[in-house]
Amino acid sequence: QKEVEQNSGPLSVPEGAIASLNCTYSDRGSQSFFWYRQYSGKSPELIMFIYSNGDKEDGRFTAQLNKASQYVSLLIRDSQPSDSATYLCVREAGTALIFGKGTTLSVSS
Amino acid sequence: EAGVTQFPSHSVIEKGQTVTLRCDPISGHDNLYWYRRVMGKEIKFLLHFVKESKQDESGMPNNRFLAERTGGTYSTLKVQPAELEDSGVYFCASKVAGGYEQYFGPGTRLTVT
């Protein structure tokens, strides 16, 4: 069983729509989670950090964490073509980060 | 402020040869990490330095990989001898002490033929 599971996609949404990206994890003791965005050929960049159950909003992005269900999600409102990228769900494990394989998002104009 | 830099950006070597990858973290970042992504797989942790000390090297695949961080500044990752399965993108990341965000470099794409 993979530690962090994501649907690889591609997830295709039209411009202006809400994109919903989901992730499940296997280690019930996990505390902190990140969403990184990676454009093709570029380095991963942090867009959201969440460690408490519930929602965390930052601009057009909302991260949701449900530790009982071992589920993390990322909502992107008013999606733009510039949001087209691979989104990596990541959990913190001691000193290391454990990555999912990523979900590719494509926003069409 | 400059970000994390890595050199080279791309390296093509033959099986059995040696390659050394370099990472320069953000100035003042005590924590330095190496990760690797092989084709079709997720990014995987290799090791973590705090200053010049190896804090966690549990992800290093075998003894053909040697990481150093002399003086607690830049780090090198040497692969000797390289095997075909070592091909992938090697990322370096750094983090300030007490922070939560790891800042990633652009990666080095290693191709072993």
Side-chain angles (χ1 to χ4, degrees), chain B residues 9-44:
Chain B
S9 58
H10 194 178
S11 179
V12 181
I13 62 172
E14 293 183 352
K15 176 182 172 180
Q17 289 186 322
T18 297
V19 64
T20 300
L21 313 181
R22 174 172 170 145
C23 168
D24 286 78
I26 293 172
S27 177
H29 283 199
D30 288 342
N31 294 278
L32 187 149
Y33 306 81
W34 283 98
Y35 293 86
R36 176 175 75 169
R37 184 170 199 162
V38 298
M39 187 175 293
K41 302 280 191 176
E42 66 274 18
I43 297 172
K44 286 199 169 179

Side-chain angles (χ1 to χ4, degrees), chain A residues 35-55:
Chain A
W35 282 98
Y36 275 80
R37 177 177 63 196
Q38 187 176 23
Y39 293 109
S40 181
K42 302 295 186 182
S43 56
E45 57 176 334
L46 181 67
I47 53 172
M48 290 293 282
F49 168 53
I50 186 167
Y51 58 90
S52 298
N53 273 324
D55 296 358

Side-chain angles (χ1 to χ4, degrees), chain A residues 2 34 36 38 41-44 46 49 88 95-97 99-101, chain B residues 33 35 37 40 42-43 45 48 55-56 91 100-102 104-106:
Chain A
K2 293 192 183 301
F34 306 82
Y36 275 80
Q38 187 176 23
K42 302 295 186 182
S43 56
L46 181 67
F49 168 53
L88 304 166
T95 63
L97 298 180
F99 285 78
K101 290 180 71 171
Chain B
Y33 306 81
Y35 293 86
R37 184 170 199 162
E42 66 274 18
I43 297 172
F45 168 80
H48 170 211
Q55 187 76 11
D56 180 355
F91 290 102
Y100 63 82
E101 181 174 359
Q102 293 188 24
F104 282 77

Side-chain angles (χ1 to χ4, degrees), chain A residues 34-107:
Chain A
F34 306 82
W35 282 98
Y36 275 80
R37 177 177 63 196
Q38 187 176 23
Y39 293 109
S40 181
K42 302 295 186 182
S43 56
E45 57 176 334
L46 181 67
I47 53 172
M48 290 293 282
F49 168 53
I50 186 167
Y51 58 90
S52 298
N53 273 324
D55 296 358
K56 179 180 179 181
E57 185 174 321
D58 184 1
R60 296 186 296 111
F61 299 96
T62 299
Q64 299 173 316
L65 174 58
N66 184 325
K67 292 185 179 181
S69 300
Q70 296 175 239
Y71 177 89
V72 192
S73 67
L74 178 70
L75 298 178
I76 305 174
R77 290 179 298 281
D78 189 23
S79 296
Q80 301 296 308
S82 58
D83 294 326
S84 298
T86 297
Y87 290 80
L88 304 166
C89 177
V90 184
R91 75 169 186 91
E92 194 168 51
T95 63
L97 298 180
I98 307 296
F99 285 78
K101 290 180 71 171
T103 298
T104 300
L105 172 66
S106 177
V107 182

